[in-house]
Amino acid sequence: MPKFAANLSMLFTEEAFLDRFKAAADAGFKGVEYLFPYDYTPAEIKSRLDANGLTQVLHNLPAGDWAAGERGIACHPDRVEEFRAGVDKAIDYATALGCKQVNCLAGIQPRGVSLEQARRTLVENLRYAAGKLEAAGILLLAEPINTRDIPGFFLNRTEQALSIFDEVGSANLKLQYDIYHMQIMEGDLAPTMEKHLDRIAHVQLADNPGRHEPGTGEINYPFLFSHLDRLGYDGWIGWEYKPATTTKEGLGWLDSVR
């Protein structure tokens, strides 16, 4: 069975953010991830990790104005300096938190920006970030996201992402493979993960439809977990789903799919 991390942006939201670390540890998690740490000081978060014996598995680079609907700026030609400043900020946090990988959200393709220009900007930004992060001992990830939940999201399919990675040309850039997003966009989950296992550094899960717990939808998670075990996947799997009721009531899904 793979090792699991609680996504604190989506789980235990009944608690204030800093209290979710204890809630995750009490539920048996050894690792945590979340969207962003930047509303808190590194010391505040590090104290919660240490107090609860948790590993910081993942967080994202700064992604623009999230409250206003921005979902990353890495494909925005007019935001390159802001993106680079965000890389430095992410390195400061990841270093302080002992986090060995950070994810880049490509963003929604801006109006008036061609597909080619957006791709070129993303390639250049990923190349810059991969180099900076490698020097700091941190792995860069990037994640395709479905265009039903986020219309216009630039990076939205596995092969597209890997083609861009090839153009970037850095060994310090890997795929964050979100099972929920890729079920919506392309399906064929098990063969895709097998084909590209050496390029996948992190996996996330939710069921479809609804983005709720595994077992509530169409995805065969018992098969996928066994499949990943057979393939020898040794990374984390982040529980990035919306509990159908409360977090605690929904945690029992794992027993039902073992």
Side-chain angles (χ1 to χ4, degrees):
M1 185 65 66
K3 56 186 181 182
F4 298 113
N7 187 297
L8 301 185
S9 296
M10 300 187 76
L11 301 186
F12 304 106
T13 57
E14 302 86 358
E15 308 280 351
F17 179 74
L18 290 176
D19 294 332
R20 296 174 199 171
F21 292 82
K22 183 178 187 304
D26 288 347
F29 288 98
K30 301 300 183 184
V32 293
E33 62 177 39
Y34 40 76
L35 286 173
F36 310 109
Y38 310 114
D39 286 341
Y40 305 90
T41 67
E44 286 176 303
I45 297 177
K46 185 67 162 58
S47 68
R48 302 302 174 111
L49 292 168
D50 291 346
N52 293 288
L54 293 168
T55 296
Q56 176 67 46
V57 172
L58 177 78
H59 62 75
N60 292 319
L61 294 173
D65 190 342
W66 196 262
E70 292 186 332
R71 293 297 181 263
I73 59 172
C75 71
H76 293 220
D78 61 339
R79 309 280 289 274
V80 171
E81 290 306 313
E82 180 183 349
F83 177 85
R84 292 187 173 195
V87 171
D88 290 337
K89 188 173 187 178
I91 289 172
D92 289 343
Y93 271 81
T95 300
L97 301 177
C99 184
K100 298 300 183 183
Q101 54 187 14
V102 299
N103 181 49
C104 174
L105 293 168
I108 297 167
Q109 184 174 343
R111 291 182 181 179
V113 173
S114 70
L115 186 68
E116 182 179 326
Q117 188 179 14
R119 180 185 173 108
R120 184 167 61 251
T121 302
L122 179 59
V123 167
E124 291 171 355
N125 278 331
L126 289 174
R127 187 177 291 137
Y128 174 85
K132 291 279 287 189
L133 288 162
E134 184 173 21
I138 301 164
L139 181 65
L140 176 64
L141 311 180
E143 171 190 19
I145 292 178
N146 82 77
T147 54
R148 185 172 70 196
D149 288 356
I150 307 181
F153 196 83
F154 183 77
L155 198 66
N156 51 63
R157 292 181 181 273
T158 303
E159 295 294 344
Q160 175 209 16
L162 294 178
S163 172
I164 287 171
F165 292 4
D166 288 342
E167 192 172 343
V168 171
S170 172
N172 197 49
L173 174 59
K174 297 287 186 179
L175 187 69
Q176 179 169 305
Y177 188 84
D178 188 302
I179 292 170
Y180 164 76
H181 290 306
M182 292 302 93
Q183 171 69 359
I184 292 171
M185 293 303 296
E186 59 193 28
D188 220 20
L189 301 169
T192 300
M193 287 189 283
E194 182 169 4
K195 180 179 179 181
H196 300 300
L197 184 69
D198 63 332
R199 305 188 75 173
I200 296 172
H202 189 65
V203 174
Q204 292 177 323
L205 63 75
D207 218 328
N208 182 61
R211 202 173 187 177
H212 299 312
E213 297 91 335
T216 60
E218 66 187 357
I219 301 174
N220 187 343
Y221 273 102
F223 172 80
L224 288 180
F225 291 155
S226 295
H227 182 65
L228 286 169
D229 283 343
R230 286 194 299 272
L231 295 177
Y233 175 73
D234 60 0
W236 292 85
I237 297 182
W239 292 20
E240 193 186 40
Y241 63 78
K242 298 181 291 185
T245 54
T246 67
T247 302
K248 290 182 180 179
E249 288 175 359
L251 292 178
W253 70 262
L254 183 59
D255 292 331
S256 68
V257 302
R258 286 184 188 275

